[in-house]
Amino acid sequence: MPMIRFLAAPPLPQRRLAVLLLTSCALAVAICAWPSVAHAQFDGTTSNDLTSQSSTDASRVNNNNNNGDSNNNANNNTDTGTETDSTGGSTTRLRQSGTATNGARATQPEPRLVNPTQRYQPGEFEQYVQQLVVAQPVRQPPGNQQQTIVAQQVRRFGANLVTDDAIASATQDPLPSVPGDYIIRPGDEIAVTIWGTVDADLRLTVDRAGRISVPRVGAINVAGVRNADLMDVISRRTAQTFKNFQLTATLGQVRAIRVFVSGYVQRPGTVTVNGLSSVLHAIMRAGGPSAAGSFRDIHLRRAGHEVAVFDLYDLLLQGDRNTDQLVQPDDIIFVGPVGTQVAVLGSVNQQAIYELKPGQTLADVLQMAGGFSAVADRTRVAIERLADRSTGRVAQLTLPAQGSFELGTGDVIRAFSSVTALLSQGSQNERIHVDGEVAHPGDYILPPGSRIADAVRAAGGMTTAAYPFGTELTRESVRQTQQANYERALRDLETDMSRTQASQRATSAEELNAQSAAATANARLLERLRQVRPTGRVVLQLPPDATALPDLPMESGDSLSIPPRNSSVGVFGSVFNTGSFVFEPSHTAEQYLALAGGPTQGADKGGIFMIRANGSVISAQQGASFWRSSSKLSDTQVEPGDTLFVPEQLNKSTFIQDAKDWTQILYQFGLGVAGIKSLGL
């Protein structure tokens, strides 16, 4: 076959190759940009970026933005993206490379002025009133063992707003709702969202000229516009460029402003707050009024003119903030000196120190204190005036006749309680409780001066199974006395044990261990004794065969319990068989001890005692002397419901320990005799 040769094409000149490549690139760009854009979509931040690069308006807006405020064009680096909508058109989205950074910056709080921590210092009058409250004895309700209590802390009314916790919470600026009358100022951030034929989500910052720049719309002057009118202003301006869209415009981050707080405040000077802060917020940032500052005389001054006078009591007492106006840059807040101060103590709903305006009376300050409490004596109050200190100092005012009494600085008003002043027993009804073997057990109200027989009669009388000898009468006043005496005895016992332990000497490790074990046992014993509570039982002196109760007057709160006749006798303690045994008439205590096996080897036979059914006690120590032991307990006839108890001997010693001790004594005695003999005495 003939060979076919392919000859290579001659190389093109380099200049023609470069021209061909440039022409291909230009053609590709023209093809991409040729389709018409159905709608413009853009996504920007504080620098107003355009998102459709095919529009000639985009170039014009970008050129205008480049000539505007440099603060709004610091981040104009963009990334181009293309989206295709349902009509077949493409949408170009330009995203700022600094969007995340700007978004994070937009959520940062405004600059804060960091103030040193300073606690609220109460004034002299507050300290004086607190001393009166602490020194005031308070009667406790039944069952409480404390005779006096330390009353609650009494401070200036509203002083909790200037505590450290309140100051800390004031620095945490929440996101409050923006009022409709808020005026847009340079530095404020506006969030604009547009949807429909136009799709945008912008966060725009008002520049120093008071304008915001919306892509393809242009600059919009918003400074001085009310927040309620902001959306309408932006919507009208946008409608000149786009049709068939919806728009929302809200205020984002509010610029920080500087105000001056002067007068009697904790930290006078310049404070920085956001544009939504009011007079109260600025005062809180300054630490609040000092002890010498007024809560009711706070002035807001702007450009040399007084704008408002704020009374904190309107907010605290009525929830009224009409005079708590929003502050503007370079406003001056002046806190005046404190006015007339009076203290209200006792049975009122809010004990505090109140500041009065001229002309306010006793009725006004009682209303500030929330009125009288539920148990207060509403007919009178006591007033202590510093001006009358040398002439009696304390006076009584009757209500409501003297409700218009004018108060002075330093007055202390005390409301009385109707429940702390106890009436005499002979002038008040008695509430008692009767249960057990009666016809109608329950609670009863008896007239003053009632006796036990009246209580039993009110309960329908005793049944046939009643055992009057075992009746238990408990009384609250007796229980309180028993508790006080019991605590005093425990303190004396603890003192004696401590003194004995301190005076003991140990000559060997064995004695040291024994003393340590004894100290531990004593501590456990004291702890168990502290848990015991007296019952307040009153022992009724009755014979075992009594059929009626003694003639004893009743007190309010008494409890009377009449048990049925018991058929057993209890024997407990250090015996061989503890338990209850069937009652046998004419049996003595010694016979019942024999039924229980008698005392054990470690029993304390001299400490045996018997508790009678009526609460009285008979012990082996009664009638005993140094020369003879008592036989009263062993020969006593036991009645139904009695209980015998045999205690354990505490100080035990073995024969070897006793022999060792006696040997040491005799040894020391022998050494002494030998020494005397050697000296020839």
Side-chain angles (χ1 to χ4, degrees):
M1 291 181 62
M3 297 182 61
I4 299 176
R5 296 188 177 185
F6 293 92
L7 300 177
L12 295 177
Q14 295 183 355
R15 180 175 299 178
R16 292 180 59 186
L17 181 61
V19 172
L20 180 62
L21 292 175
L22 290 175
T23 303
S24 301
C25 292
L27 181 61
V29 171
I31 292 174
C32 293
W34 181 259
S36 60
V37 179
H39 66 276
Q41 178 177 354
F42 48 167
D43 183 10
T45 57
T46 55
S47 59
N48 307 323
D49 294 323
L50 185 64
T51 60
S52 178
Q53 66 177 6
S54 63
S55 175
T56 57
D57 292 338
S59 301
R60 179 171 52 83
V61 172
N62 283 333
N63 292 332
N64 292 336
N65 287 341
N66 291 333
N67 297 329
D69 192 352
S70 60
N71 293 333
N72 293 335
N73 298 280
N75 299 315
N76 281 331
N77 297 327
T78 58
D79 297 330
T80 302
T82 302
E83 296 181 358
T84 303
D85 59 9
S86 60
T87 61
S90 62
T91 300
T92 303
R93 173 177 293 179
L94 302 183
R95 300 182 181 88
Q96 277 193 329
S97 59
T99 299
T101 304
N102 293 337
R105 182 184 62 186
T107 60
Q108 292 178 355
E110 82 284 352
R112 294 193 179 104
L113 181 64
V114 179
N115 294 323
T117 302
Q118 180 178 355
R119 291 184 176 274
Y120 174 77
Q121 298 295 331
E124 290 183 304
F125 185 60
E126 294 179 64
Q127 297 176 6
Y128 168 71
V129 172
Q130 189 63 42
Q131 292 175 359
L132 294 179
V133 176
V134 174
Q136 175 70 14
V138 179
R139 185 185 297 271
Q140 295 299 301
N144 196 328
Q145 304 305 317
Q146 299 293 333
Q147 299 299 323
T148 59
I149 62 172
V150 178
Q152 63 179 356
Q153 186 179 11
V154 177
R155 305 179 61 185
R156 290 181 64 186
F157 182 65
N160 56 334
L161 293 179
V162 296
T163 58
D164 294 337
D165 294 338
I167 295 174
S169 62
T171 59
Q172 303 298 325
D173 296 322
L175 297 176
S177 59
V178 182
D181 57 352
Y182 177 79
I183 304 300
I184 306 299
R185 303 184 185 91
D188 289 342
E189 183 186 65
I190 300 175
V192 179
T193 303
I194 309 174
W195 67 95
T197 59
V198 182
D199 205 4
D201 187 6
L202 308 174
R203 301 185 71 88
L204 311 173
T205 302
V206 182
D207 61 16
R208 295 178 180 177
R211 301 173 302 178
I212 58 174
S213 184
V214 179
R216 300 190 62 186
V217 174
I220 304 176
N221 192 359
V222 295
V225 177
R226 296 172 62 249
N227 180 53
D229 304 329
L230 178 63
M231 186 170 62
D232 190 34
V233 171
I234 300 177
S235 180
R236 287 200 307 266
R237 180 65 179 83
T238 306
Q240 298 177 6
T241 305
F242 301 104
K243 304 297 181 181
N244 299 326
F245 69 91
Q246 295 184 12
L247 180 147
T248 61
T250 58
L251 193 64
Q253 180 182 344
V254 181
R255 64 164 295 184
I257 62 176
R258 180 186 62 182
V259 297
F260 301 92
V261 182
S262 62
Y264 298 88
V265 291
Q266 293 277 22
R267 295 183 296 272
T270 303
V271 297
T272 302
V273 294
N274 62 32
L276 298 177
S277 299
S278 64
V279 175
L280 179 59
H281 296 140
I283 294 177
M284 292 280 291
R285 188 64 64 86
S290 62
S294 175
F295 281 27
R296 313 196 64 180
D297 187 26
I298 303 172
H299 301 263
L300 175 62
R301 296 170 182 171
R302 183 175 300 151
H305 302 282
E306 188 169 283
V307 178
V309 178
F310 178 51
D311 187 350
L312 187 59
Y313 277 28
D314 292 341
L315 172 62
L316 296 175
L317 297 175
Q318 304 174 11
D320 184 7
R321 292 187 61 184
N322 290 332
T323 57
D324 185 21
Q325 297 191 6
L326 297 180
V327 295
Q328 296 185 11
D330 295 331
D331 279 354
I332 297 177
I333 301 173
F334 176 78
V335 178
V338 66
T340 301
Q341 285 185 305
V342 298
V344 182
L345 308 176
S347 296
V348 291
N349 291 318
Q350 179 67 49
Q351 296 187 100
I353 297 173
Y354 296 90
E355 181 181 351
L356 304 183
K357 287 186 174 181
Q360 291 188 316
T361 62
L362 174 63
D364 296 328
V365 73
L366 289 177
Q367 185 178 4
M368 293 179 189
F372 291 105
S373 64
V375 297
D377 184 357
R378 302 170 182 266
T379 62
R380 60 193 179 97
V381 293
I383 180 171
E384 178 183 342
R385 313 202 71 174
L386 295 179
D388 301 334
R389 185 170 185 175
S390 59
T391 59
R393 195 178 173 191
V394 179
Q396 181 172 300
L397 302 177
T398 58
L399 297 176
Q402 294 180 289
S404 59
F405 184 82
E406 293 188 4
L407 302 172
T409 300
D411 289 351
V412 178
I413 303 167
R414 193 182 300 275
F416 299 103
S417 174
S418 299
V419 297
T420 56
L422 299 179
L423 299 175
S424 62
Q425 293 293 333
S427 59
Q428 59 180 342
N429 293 334
E430 298 167 352
R431 180 182 58 84
I432 64 171
H433 178 79
V434 182
D435 59 15
E437 293 298 323
V438 291
H440 306 290
D443 295 331
Y444 296 93
I445 304 299
L446 302 180
S450 298
R451 310 185 83 79
I452 290 184
D454 299 326
V456 175
R457 191 179 304 110
M462 292 185 290
T463 63
T464 56
Y467 185 41
F469 181 69
T471 300
E472 182 176 351
L473 173 63
T474 58
R475 180 164 292 174
E476 180 60 29
S477 60
V478 174
R479 190 197 65 79
Q480 294 180 1
T481 303
Q482 290 177 348
Q483 183 67 37
N485 295 333
Y486 183 72
E487 291 178 354
R488 186 182 303 109
L490 281 181
R491 290 193 297 269
D492 295 341
L493 177 61
E494 186 176 7
T495 302
D496 293 341
M497 288 182 175
S498 300
R499 186 182 299 111
T500 302
Q501 183 178 356
S503 61
Q504 289 179 346
R505 296 182 180 179
T507 58
S508 62
E510 182 181 355
E511 293 182 358
L512 182 61
N513 294 334
Q515 293 177 9
S516 177
T520 304
N522 291 337
R524 289 197 300 266
L525 175 62
L526 287 174
E527 186 63 27
R528 295 183 61 182
L529 290 176
R530 289 191 182 95
Q531 298 175 1
V532 177
R533 293 290 180 266
T535 61
R537 181 176 183 178
V538 179
V539 177
L540 302 179
Q541 302 295 335
L542 291 174
D545 56 351
T547 57
L549 298 177
D551 188 18
L552 186 69
M554 300 293 289
E555 293 183 6
S556 182
D558 285 354
S559 177
L560 187 66
S561 179
I562 304 175
R565 186 178 182 83
N566 206 328
S567 60
S568 63
V569 175
V571 181
F572 302 97
S574 186
V575 293
F576 287 98
N577 183 23
T578 62
S580 297
F581 300 90
V582 178
F583 170 74
E584 294 291 343
S586 71
H587 268 40
T588 62
E590 186 175 1
Q591 291 175 311
Y592 279 104
L593 287 175
L595 291 176
T600 62
Q601 185 177 1
D604 184 8
K605 300 180 180 60
I608 301 175
F609 61 93
M610 180 173 63
I611 302 177
R612 308 304 300 265
N614 67 340
S616 60
V617 178
I618 300 176
S619 68
Q621 298 293 333
Q622 293 175 331
S625 64
F626 181 77
W627 303 105
R628 64 181 182 89
S629 61
S630 173
S631 59
K632 180 178 180 180
L633 177 62
S634 59
D635 298 338
T636 300
Q637 184 175 349
V638 180
E639 300 295 337
D642 291 350
T643 301
L644 282 166
F645 187 81
V646 181
E648 186 79 13
Q649 189 174 1
L650 297 180
N651 296 326
K652 299 179 180 179
S653 60
T654 62
F655 175 77
I656 297 177
Q657 291 176 342
D658 293 340
K660 178 181 178 181
D661 294 338
W662 279 108
T663 302
Q664 186 174 4
I665 293 174
L666 294 176
Y667 173 73
Q668 296 293 339
F669 180 75
L671 288 179
V673 172
I676 294 173
K677 185 176 181 181
S678 64
L679 294 175
L681 299 178

